[in-house]
Amino acid sequence: MARNEALFNAIRMGKRPEVQQLVRAALDAGASPIELLNETMVPAMREVGEAFSRHQIFIPQMLVAARAMQAGLDILEPLLVRAGHQPRAKVCIGTVKGDLHDIGKNLVAMMLKGAGFEVMDLGTDVDVTKFARAVELGAQAVLMSALLTTTMPYMRVVTDYFRNRGDVKIIVGGAPITQEYADEIGAHGYGEDAGQAVHVVERCLGLSN
Amino acid sequence: MKVIFRWRHHVRGMPAEADATLAELARQIHLPLNMVCEGRGRCGRCAVVLEQGSVRVGARIIQADPYPVTVLACQAYPLGNDELVVRVPERSLRETRPSALTDFHGWRPRWQPALRVIQCRETATPTTSLVEHWAHSVRQHTHALVVDLPELRSVPDPEQLEADLAVVEVSNLSWVVGVRPAGGVPRPLGLAIDVGTTTVVVALVDLTDGRVLGRASDYNAQIARGADVASRITASERPDGLSDLQELVVRHTLNPLIQRVCDQAKVTPTDILHVVAAGNTVMEHLFLGLPPSGIGRLPFRPLVRWPWPVRARALGLHVAPSAVVELVPALSAHVGGDLTADAVASRLIHRKGVYLLVDIGTNGELLLWDGKRLRGCAAAAGPAFEGHGVTHGMRATEGAIDHIWFEPNGTLTWSVLGTSAPAGFCGSALVDMLAEMYRAGWIDSAGRFREDRWDHAGRRCQVPIGSHPVAGCILVPAEHTAHHEPLVISEADIAELLKAKAAIQAGWTTLLRQAGISVERLDGLILAGAFAHHIHLQNAIQIGLLPPVPSDRITVLGNGSLAGAYLALGSRGVRRDWRRLLDLIEPVELNRCEGFEDTYVAALFLGDS
């Protein structure tokens, strides 16, 4: 199946109602949900992420694009499950204990879903028990976000907890986080912004696109 | 290896070591480089122009040849044997003194100070002790007398019943703040303090009539430990961090300010007998030396909202040692005493109708009063409107463009603070820029350039960020500027500004929605803080930073924090308002409100979408 250009552009431009309409129309016309995802929606989101990394678009446009993508995925997801679609990998994400800021975390979650990952979003104020539970349920990577310098020390608690679990990758991000801090606490990956998140997860999990 | 630094009218050469960054070298020669993020390479304030030679940034080698390049001094290591020439532009220098707002307007009550001077006289009835004699003299005013030991030890004459007693009557007690021989109490003075995260302002007040004898302001010396409240909390958690921060604000900031303002007024600091300070909840904790940790993370619980009055000597404050120091109480972890002060100064809860109070600093703090209920929240605006994270952003100081606009003939014009050539844009100009460029069709609702509208003027340029160039627009050509380089705005800058305005806009939109009030029902808007004092209100409304309220229903308070502290010196009744505000407040945690993210995303855009 060729790329659905109208849907591709609607995602890039962040046109949420249009995306939902086009996804429904494509499905009604008999398109395969898996193909729709892999041939059109994932490439559209990749394009958005790359444009962001090249400073051709900025946070406002990336947010609306990601939310448009999410709106399309909301329709697609039950169908994908039914069609036996296998996600590329399963990860969990959360804003660390003590912190409520989640807009950046939600954006990263949407970018990852848009790249074909299964994302368990644990929400905000997430403690080590919740992360551990997600890992038990199959998460291969633990993604943590913090917006406050006062809450970022909790990342160390979580990283220490998973220290001896070679099969779990720890990835951190958020406004006050730096590569140095990620190295210092022994995280496996650090994403400077939401545009890099997908690459970092792919690299840590040894996946290539 | 040698590095030559050029800044303002200085030129200084120094030997360079390969393992020291340009910022570290600059520190050695006391070059006042702006380092908001403490050299983490995050804030972009230490951008310098490499005019000659080469440096290493991470693994990259950057050369001045063929064109001078801008690098972050905190990330750049000198390289090679050539002489380096580094020019530090004005916007990357710390100003020695801030241009803080020291003025305030608003409610002026009948002057009824909390401090009274009571004349104790010989009585016919014998008294059992001197303190009981004082208490008897004071009793007609109130019931309990608090005398602290050092004050009692220094009584001028223990056998003399006749004395002048200065007492501060707050918290249902009479605090003795000075004992002098009869007729010996000089003009009693008070001090109002605005303890800001960035700037600290003091006003010296004649307590007999409420005249302001002088004002002074300076940067909060705590800036050396981080720019925002979160980084101060982190700093307070290091060993000795708390006492360090308390000394920075009291000994290194306030005491010199008190000396300065007293010198100007030709009075002595020890005649200051009553002090009231207002600040955000973290600043108030640090002023008292209290750990602010609980404010920094869930459940966002401060140690105290309304601290008990303390004596100046307990804080190391250079006024009369027994002077009573009060803090305007904080309403919650995120809605501080500064907002309580704003609310008192604007008579918020005495108003009939629906009023929104907005105090924009590094964070926006908002109060919504609907005649019965009071909701408050903080909005994480970040420092973009203070010029941080914007290519040519700077503080509102000498050389800053404070307003820009299009003339009717279409030419772009600007005004500058002070007499220098323009060196950058301060927040009020950045608000104008968004509004004017959007109105003129130069940017679309997402803040993207529509270059067809302006490229003919030769304004197109590129601003490098990392290895990728970003589209930029030249607003002020090189020939007009202080450093003979054009002042530009990039699409990345606009995105930063949109994020800051969206935080505030989503804040007031969400507060109104929580209260079930449509924006049309607002009876008035009250604005506090320096930023609101300088912006063009219509432009701020146009970009959505402020709700659409007719100009005649907008009150601009000025420094409401200082006003509220001042009022507490001059009106005992103010404390009843504090109590009511503390009882009424309903803190709103924006991130927990249904639909907040939708509101925030919608607010990232300009125009009515």
Side-chain angles (χ1 to χ4, degrees), chain A residues 53-58 60-61 63-64 67 98 100-101 103 106 125 148-151 175-178 190, chain B residues 40 42 230-231 233-234 296-298 300 448 465 468 470 491-492 495 589 591-592 597-598 600-601 604-605:
Chain A
S53 297
R54 290 195 301 266
H55 304 309
Q56 284 167 338
I57 64 163
F58 303 93
Q61 293 101 312
L63 260 175
V64 288
R67 287 159 61 86
L100 283 180
H101 295 93
I103 292 177
N106 294 347
D125 191 25
L148 302 171
T149 50
T150 47
T151 54
I177 315 298
T178 58
Y190 159 71
Chain B
R40 288 186 296 155
R42 291 240 137 192
S231 52
I233 296 175
T234 308
R297 47 187 82 87
L298 278 169
F300 306 122
R448 305 302 304 273
I465 297 184
H468 292 286
V470 178
E491 287 192 332
E589 202 56 67
N591 289 286
R592 280 194 168 155
E597 184 168 323
D598 291 332
Y600 174 79
V601 172
L604 282 169
F605 293 82

Side-chain angles (χ1 to χ4, degrees), chain B residues 411-469:
Chain B
T411 54
L412 192 63
T413 315
W414 55 84
S415 58
V416 183
L417 293 175
T419 52
S420 315
F425 304 103
C426 69
S428 51
L430 295 168
V431 169
D432 294 343
M433 190 273 301
L434 285 181
E436 292 278 352
M437 288 180 85
Y438 181 64
R439 261 200 297 267
W442 286 23
I443 54 176
D444 64 16
S445 63
R448 305 302 304 273
F449 289 143
R450 296 167 66 182
E451 291 173 6
D452 52 313
R453 299 295 184 97
W454 48 264
D455 187 44
H456 60 274
R459 293 183 182 273
R460 192 200 293 253
C461 67
Q462 292 194 319
V463 181
I465 297 184
S467 50
H468 292 286

Side-chain angles (χ1 to χ4, degrees), chain B residues 190-496:
Chain B
L191 190 75
I193 306 176
D194 161 27
V195 206
T197 311
T198 307
T199 51
V200 175
V201 187
V202 300
L204 182 70
V205 181
D206 183 334
L207 289 178
T208 53
D209 54 13
R211 267 187 314 135
V212 175
L213 303 175
R215 303 157 199 259
S217 64
D218 204 347
Y219 284 114
N220 186 336
Q222 290 175 350
I223 286 178
R225 305 289 181 270
D228 53 29
V229 290
S231 52
R232 305 279 170 85
I233 296 175
T234 308
S236 78
E237 291 168 348
R238 294 180 193 132
D240 301 321
L242 199 52
S243 56
D244 169 55
L245 288 163
Q246 203 267 344
E247 287 198 2
L248 283 170
V249 67
V250 172
R251 287 185 204 280
H252 298 279
T253 309
L254 277 164
N255 286 346
L257 278 177
I258 292 167
Q259 192 61 54
R260 191 176 354 138
V261 79
C262 286
D263 287 348
Q264 283 163 11
K266 300 192 169 58
V267 297
T268 48
T270 47
D271 290 341
I272 298 173
L273 301 174
H274 189 192
V275 179
V276 182
N280 64 52
T281 315
V282 173
M283 285 307 110
E284 292 196 348
H285 275 60
L286 295 177
F287 175 72
L288 294 176
L290 299 175
S293 299
I295 304 166
R297 47 187 82 87
L298 278 169
F300 306 122
R301 188 165 46 220
L303 196 61
V304 57
R305 289 199 298 169
W306 190 351
W308 197 242
V310 289
R311 303 287 186 170
R313 71 166 65 81
L315 301 176
L317 201 63
H318 276 183
V319 294
S322 299
V324 161
V325 182
E326 283 181 281
L327 283 150
V328 179
L331 299 181
S332 75
H334 294 142
V335 183
D338 44 356
L339 266 277
T340 309
D342 291 339
V344 168
S346 62
R347 307 278 289 157
L348 183 68
I349 54 168
H350 296 281
R351 292 178 184 234
K352 286 193 173 61
V354 182
Y355 285 86
L356 178 72
L357 192 157
V358 182
D359 190 329
I360 304 178
T362 306
N363 271 343
E365 288 173 287
L366 310 165
L367 283 176
L368 179 67
W369 168 246
D370 66 6
K372 282 201 193 88
R373 294 174 69 174
L374 181 71
R375 292 174 172 85
C377 71
F385 284 117
E386 296 175 342
H388 299 307
V390 177
T391 309
H392 286 143
M394 64 185 287
R395 287 193 168 282
T397 180
E398 176 79 23
I401 291 181
D402 62 341
H403 290 292
I404 61 173
W405 66 94
F406 286 104
E407 293 291 353
N409 67 8
T411 54
L412 192 63
T413 315
W414 55 84
S415 58
V416 183
L417 293 175
T419 52
S420 315
F425 304 103
C426 69
S428 51
L430 295 168
V431 169
D432 294 343
M433 190 273 301
L434 285 181
E436 292 278 352
M437 288 180 85
Y438 181 64
R439 261 200 297 267
W442 286 23
I443 54 176
D444 64 16
S445 63
R448 305 302 304 273
F449 289 143
R450 296 167 66 182
E451 291 173 6
D452 52 313
R453 299 295 184 97
W454 48 264
D455 187 44
H456 60 274
R459 293 183 182 273
R460 192 200 293 253
C461 67
Q462 292 194 319
V463 181
I465 297 184
S467 50
H468 292 286
V470 178
C473 173
I474 295 172
L475 295 178
V476 182
E479 64 263 31
H480 296 294
T481 68
H483 307 293
H484 309 294
E485 57 183 58
L487 295 179
V488 306
I489 195 86
S490 75
E491 287 192 332
D493 296 336
I494 294 172
E496 280 304 305

